[in-house]
Amino acid sequence: MNKMIEKLDFTVAIPTYNGAKHLPQVLDFLLKQTGIEKLNWEIIIIDNNSHDNTNEVIKHYQKTYSQNICLRYFFEKKQGISFARMRAISEARGEFVAFVDDDNLLAPDWILQSYTFGKEHPQAGAWSGQIHGNFEGKPPENFEKIQAFLAIREHGSNPYLFDAANLRLPPGAALVVRKQVWCENVPQRPSLSGKLPGIFVQGDDYEALLYIHYGGWQIWYNPTMHTYHQIPNWRLERDYLLTLARGCGLCIFQLRLINTKNWQKPIVFVKTILGNLCRVLQQLIHYRGQFKTNLIALFEMEFYFASMISPLYYLKCHICRVLNQFVIMFYNSDFTPTLNMLPIKEEKLKPKILLKIN
């Protein structure tokens, strides 16, 4: 592969955080891709501030497989999957950029099917395929009702357009985008960073896709692309699932604000609260007395409740952010009290800490 080519056909971007144990299997599957002998493609690893030996793993593959593949490594210190993906876009040389998580194993023809679909659908700004779950343990009963929250998509064998206006979109894992479309439509500073220590608000996948959709591009489901998502036992435990449900719900209002005009925002505010209040009440009536034993029903309740309060959560964060900016501006200014002001000692005006946004 010619590493000096500036523009390539396809880039596989793998954002990772402490993924040294998972990356070898992911890379091994990528090395077995078939039908792409005529494609110029590359793999880029975005190390999102890992503390393990991820860089050493990549150095080993660069040295061992230098004749087979163009594998590049970048360290992104700013934490958050959105920032890792933005870095991937800026470094990628491919016309199409595929985001692959470090727990995604791709079928042997995944790149070929992805590339072919993009060429055959010039109005597609993003497309994704079937994502199957490889579970370490047995999922809870009725898990299929919530499996989409764990990025599992098995929607049949016919391609179709996603309903972006109603937030029916593919996950960010195993997703392909046109680099130019992303650069022209997705803001460089995302509002939703994704999961961070102490913060589990989701929506980072959908934010970029909504900007692509409102830019006039189509978002497609391509059933010929098969991915196998590795799901360990701890991601099926009660605490993790409820935290996931809450994080997915709290971002709903902020996602609905994308491309919403100012005069429409109060309407969206009220509709989000009332619509999800109805769902909460329906859930209470339907599963009354079952929430201690029915994890899936409890998951759905947590999601509906978090969606209901998402406008209030957004408002709280927005107010705290504005106040923080004011405090910083006030603290950094050369402000001195005058005789017309209340006799407050100047040192009392200096803030000790900033407001914390949960």
Side-chain angles (χ1 to χ4, degrees):
M1 182 172 293
N2 186 357
K3 297 183 181 180
M4 301 304 294
I5 298 177
E6 290 298 323
K7 292 184 179 181
L8 304 177
D9 299 312
F10 204 89
T11 295
V12 177
I14 308 176
T16 184
Y17 174 71
N18 292 339
K21 292 182 179 180
H22 308 293
L23 282 170
Q25 190 177 21
V26 176
L27 291 172
D28 288 344
F29 270 70
L30 278 168
L31 288 168
K32 297 175 183 177
Q33 291 292 302
T34 60
I36 54 173
E37 293 77 14
K38 295 182 179 180
L39 288 186
N40 288 314
W41 68 291
E42 65 177 350
I43 301 173
I44 60 175
I45 306 295
I46 308 298
D47 185 344
N48 199 195
N49 205 22
S50 298
H51 303 296
D52 62 1
N53 63 328
T54 292
N55 61 334
E56 297 175 10
V57 171
I58 302 307
K59 285 179 181 178
H60 167 74
Y61 273 83
Q62 288 174 325
K63 182 178 180 181
T64 306
Y65 299 99
S66 60
Q67 299 303 315
N68 305 83
I69 195 168
C70 177
L71 174 60
R72 298 190 293 149
Y73 169 90
F74 301 95
F75 186 84
E76 175 54 52
K77 188 175 182 179
K78 201 164 188 178
Q79 201 84 42
I81 186 65
S82 291
F83 299 113
R85 287 176 181 149
M86 293 298 295
R87 178 66 182 274
I89 287 290
S90 68
E91 302 292 352
R93 297 179 295 176
E95 176 188 2
F96 303 153
V97 180
F99 296 116
V100 177
D101 285 359
D102 61 11
D103 56 4
N104 293 164
L105 305 181
L106 305 180
D109 63 345
W110 193 89
I111 291 179
L112 175 63
Q113 296 295 344
S114 303
Y115 182 79
T116 302
F117 189 89
K119 285 298 185 181
E120 292 177 350
H121 295 78
Q123 293 305 313
W127 54 99
S128 182
Q130 299 196 55
I131 304 178
H132 313 285
N134 278 353
F135 300 98
E136 184 180 9
K138 184 179 179 181
E141 188 177 359
N142 295 321
F143 177 75
E144 64 277 2
K145 295 179 68 175
I146 66 166
Q147 66 178 12
F149 288 88
L150 277 83
I152 297 175
R153 296 291 194 277
E154 296 170 323
H155 294 167
S157 58
N158 296 318
Y160 65 83
L161 281 170
F162 282 99
D163 184 9
N166 289 306
L167 300 184
R168 295 187 178 94
L169 290 164
L175 174 76
V176 186
V177 301
R178 295 182 190 273
K179 178 175 178 176
Q180 184 176 354
V181 170
W182 180 292
C183 292
E184 291 176 353
N185 293 278
V186 180
Q188 293 188 1
R189 293 179 61 87
S191 300
L192 297 163
S193 61
K195 298 186 287 286
L196 293 172
I199 302 175
F200 210 73
V201 177
Q202 305 283 306
D204 48 288
D205 293 351
Y206 285 11
E207 181 181 11
L209 288 172
L210 285 171
Y211 281 114
I212 290 173
H213 166 70
Y214 289 122
W217 292 89
Q218 298 173 347
I219 301 173
W220 278 88
Y221 168 75
N222 173 21
T224 64
M225 297 160 54
H226 292 269
T227 304
Y228 300 90
H229 185 194
Q230 311 306 296
I231 301 178
N233 280 332
W234 62 267
R235 295 191 70 181
L236 299 175
E237 294 176 356
R238 181 181 185 276
D239 289 347
Y240 175 84
L241 288 174
L242 294 183
T243 303
L244 175 65
R246 192 177 309 119
C248 290
L250 287 176
C251 69
I252 291 297
F253 178 69
Q254 191 164 346
L255 290 174
R256 294 200 178 280
L257 288 186
I258 295 176
N259 207 45
T260 298
K261 297 178 181 178
N262 286 333
W263 68 267
Q264 296 173 316
K265 291 180 180 179
I267 299 174
V268 176
F269 188 97
V270 174
K271 286 181 66 175
T272 302
I273 293 176
L274 294 182
N276 285 287
L277 175 60
C278 291
R279 296 183 181 95
V280 167
L281 294 176
Q282 290 171 354
Q283 197 80 351
L284 283 171
I285 295 170
H286 191 269
Y287 293 103
R288 183 174 55 184
Q290 300 182 38
F291 291 109
K292 289 185 178 181
T293 57
N294 190 333
L295 178 57
I296 304 305
L298 185 59
F299 181 101
E300 292 175 327
M301 171 62 83
E302 191 72 25
F303 173 70
Y304 294 145
F305 181 80
S307 300
M308 181 183 70
I309 66 171
S310 63
L312 304 177
Y313 178 81
Y314 170 82
L315 192 60
K316 169 194 169 185
C317 293
H318 181 70
I319 291 173
C320 288
R321 193 174 295 112
V322 170
L323 289 177
N324 274 341
Q325 292 173 353
F326 174 78
V327 169
I328 293 171
M329 180 180 65
F330 183 79
Y331 181 77
N332 292 334
S333 67
D334 295 327
F335 176 78
T336 302
T338 67
L339 294 175
N340 294 328
M341 297 182 178
L342 293 174
I344 302 175
K345 292 184 179 180
E346 184 177 359
E347 59 268 19
K348 291 184 178 180
L349 295 172
K350 294 182 178 180
K352 301 296 184 184
I353 58 172
L354 297 181
L355 299 172
K356 182 180 179 182
I357 302 176
N358 293 320

